[in-house]
Amino acid sequence: MTVSVTLEHPIAYNGQAINTLSFRSPKVGDLIAASEESTPIRQTMHMLARLCGLDFATFGEIDAADLSKIVEATGELLGNEQSTETGAG
């Protein structure tokens, strides 16, 4: 599964403007690498950077509004899909 997100605020990477990021499904190696980070936010950012092929420093340049879109769009990839069930019986 792959998810693409169009950035409202493009970033520069290797001298190129990046307008869209594509995120692939995580692999075990991604989970291991991200788990080595010290805080949950760093773990998530490390994982997202790996899944779109950016280094951690470049991923850190993403605008917060774009990050919100990325987190929402990649929720299912990361196992964070929102449930539509209410739980009411």
Side-chain angles (χ1 to χ4, degrees), residues 3-11 18-23 62-63 65-71 73-74:
V3 173
S4 293
V5 177
T6 300
L7 303 177
E8 304 239 351
H9 308 277
I11 58 171
I18 303 295
N19 299 311
T20 302
L21 295 174
S22 294
F23 297 85
I62 292 174
D63 187 271
D66 286 325
L67 178 60
S68 180
K69 287 174 50 176
I70 290 167
V71 169
T74 59

Side-chain angles (χ1 to χ4, degrees), residues 40-54:
I41 187 73
R42 287 186 64 86
Q43 290 172 353
T44 300
M45 297 308 100
H46 188 99
M47 175 71 74
L48 290 170
R50 285 179 65 100
L51 298 184
C52 72
L54 293 177

Side-chain angles (χ1 to χ4, degrees), residues 11-18 53-55 58:
I11 58 171
Y13 182 65
N14 288 336
Q16 302 284 332
I18 303 295
L54 293 177
D55 59 76
T58 302

Side-chain angles (χ1 to χ4, degrees), residues 23-38:
F23 297 85
R24 60 173 173 77
S25 297
K27 309 240 185 268
V28 172
D30 299 316
L31 299 172
I32 293 168
S35 73
E36 295 174 359
E37 291 292 340
S38 59

